[in-house]
Amino acid sequence: GVKYNYGNTGTIALPVYNAALNAQRRAARYGLNAADFALEQTKQSIRLTATMDYFNILQARNLVKVREETVATLTTHLADVNARADVLASEVELANAQQNLTTAKNTYEVAVATLNNVIGVPTDTMLTINDELRYTGYDLSLDDCTDYGLIYRADGAAAVYAVKQAQAGVRTAQAGYHPTVNAAATRSIAGERPFKDDHKSSNTWAVGVSASWNIFDSGVTAAQVTAAKAKLRKAEESLAETDEKIRLDERTAYLNLRAAEQNIKTTEKAVKQAEEDYNIARVRYNAGVGTNLEVMRASDNLTTARMNYSTALYSYNTGKASLDNAMGVPVDL
């Protein structure tokens, strides 16, 4: 004679107005945007590292070539030397040149291993590199570079979204001053069988709206708003500092690029003059009116001029890479 009575109730609730949830959603979206730019900045840093290491290989190879040319010129001059004292001095100079060549070749091998490590291949991988350090003109002005960097550089954009996120944090704190409104719909059924309504009177619906407003909170909301505004001011100061850093990075990279560009023209002329001076010194020595010291000094000057020219090309190309990085040129462009 025992009877059972089952009651089943289901409710769907939806926030109609909740300032805190809205602000938190915005803050989370801005945080995601900032994280995306942080990822982009990491990719740009990796690209810059790989580019620099690649140019290091080209520079090391050029210096090997310079040292090889020095050894070749000194070897040729040694064949022209007749006096005993001159032979000894030339042999010492040639030995020093050969030692420098060995060091240059070792530097090249280390540069290749370093790039292999950066790009994720075994360090003993042999790379076939056909590029050369070249000079190609750069047409953008400093203002163009700066304007681009202020818009597109990843850390600058991330700082902008950090400010937006802090602004959303202020709105989240200020939500304590506002009421919250929720809507709900409820259906209830009851009967002697589970999930069944045995009688029409046991199948009921209820729909309603509820509101709550915490008017007196002992100053908790005011304190939270003050703290959120302080975080906003900190984010705004960080944004201003980031903008200044971008301007400084742009100017530094741009001026370094232009200086290297000027050095290319200067050192290229110096190489031609050094080659002419060496040829004259060698002719004078073979004619008996010049000294062996003059030839070796001219050889040293030629080696230095060639190294300076190669270094100027290296500085210009790495300067362009640094300027692209300072501007925030996207990796996936």
Side-chain angles (χ1 to χ4, degrees):
V2 178
K3 293 185 178 180
Y4 295 92
N5 186 56
Y6 295 91
N8 308 279
T9 302
T11 301
I12 297 176
L14 180 68
V16 177
Y17 175 76
N18 191 316
L21 286 179
N22 292 335
Q24 290 170 2
R25 185 175 64 252
R26 291 192 188 96
R29 184 170 64 248
Y30 294 143
L32 176 60
N33 291 337
D36 287 338
F37 281 110
L39 174 60
E40 173 63 23
Q41 186 175 14
T42 301
K43 292 164 65 177
Q44 291 177 13
S45 297
I46 294 173
R47 178 181 62 182
L48 178 63
T49 300
T51 302
M52 291 296 191
D53 289 338
Y54 186 79
F55 286 147
N56 285 341
I57 292 177
L58 300 183
Q59 168 70 348
R61 188 177 61 185
N62 284 348
L63 295 184
V64 168
K65 182 179 179 181
V66 171
R67 296 299 185 182
E68 288 175 341
E69 290 173 344
T70 301
V71 170
T73 56
L74 290 176
T75 301
T76 301
H77 173 63
L78 181 60
D80 297 335
V81 173
N82 297 318
R84 175 64 177 171
D86 290 348
V87 169
L88 293 176
S90 297
E91 287 177 343
V92 171
E93 191 74 10
L94 176 59
N96 292 335
Q98 290 171 336
Q99 182 178 355
N100 291 333
L101 174 59
T102 300
T103 302
K105 289 181 177 179
N106 180 72
T107 301
Y108 174 80
E109 295 296 334
V110 172
V112 172
T114 301
L115 180 61
N116 286 338
N117 179 260
V118 169
I119 64 179
V121 299
T123 55
D124 59 350
T125 301
M126 299 298 294
L127 299 180
T128 301
I129 299 176
N130 299 320
D131 287 336
E132 296 287 345
L133 290 174
R134 297 183 180 88
Y135 168 72
T136 54
Y138 195 84
D139 297 330
L140 293 180
S141 66
L142 176 58
D143 290 338
D144 293 334
C145 296
T146 302
D147 292 341
Y148 186 96
L150 289 174
I151 296 175
Y152 294 108
R153 211 167 99 165
D155 53 346
V160 170
Y161 280 107
V163 171
K164 292 180 179 293
Q165 190 175 21
Q167 291 172 341
V170 173
R171 289 192 289 269
T172 300
Q174 291 174 337
Y177 294 131
H178 301 275
T180 58
V181 180
N182 298 297
T186 302
R187 183 186 180 187
S188 299
I189 58 176
E192 296 179 358
R193 293 174 298 169
F195 305 107
K196 299 291 184 179
D197 53 331
D198 297 325
H199 308 286
K200 291 184 178 180
S201 60
S202 66
N203 189 344
T204 62
W205 279 91
V207 179
V209 177
S210 63
S212 62
W213 197 348
N214 190 6
I215 300 177
F216 302 104
D217 62 357
S218 302
V220 173
T221 299
Q224 291 174 342
V225 171
T226 301
K229 287 183 177 179
K231 291 182 179 179
L232 174 58
R233 288 194 297 271
K234 182 179 180 180
E236 291 172 340
E237 289 296 329
S238 178
L239 173 59
E241 182 179 355
T242 301
D243 285 347
E244 288 301 317
K245 184 178 184 301
I246 291 174
R247 294 178 185 275
L248 176 61
D249 291 346
E250 296 287 345
R251 178 174 291 274
T252 300
Y254 189 85
L255 293 178
N256 288 341
L257 178 67
R258 292 309 183 192
E261 183 179 38
Q262 185 61 38
N263 287 337
I264 290 175
K265 300 175 182 178
T266 303
T267 55
E268 186 177 21
K269 181 179 179 181
V271 169
K272 295 179 180 178
Q273 294 174 337
E275 288 175 345
E276 183 178 357
D277 181 57
Y278 174 77
N279 291 332
I280 292 174
R282 187 180 174 192
V283 169
R284 284 173 49 83
Y285 179 80
N286 291 333
V289 296
T291 65
N292 186 47
L293 181 60
E294 291 176 348
V295 176
M296 289 189 294
R297 184 183 295 114
S299 175
D300 289 340
N301 291 339
L302 177 58
T303 299
T304 301
R306 286 171 173 170
M307 292 181 64
N308 288 341
Y309 176 67
S310 178
T311 300
L313 285 174
Y314 169 78
S315 298
Y316 182 78
N317 283 272
T318 56
K320 289 176 65 177
S322 297
L323 183 56
D324 284 346
N325 182 261
M327 291 170 61
V329 176
V331 173
D332 300 324
L333 183 65

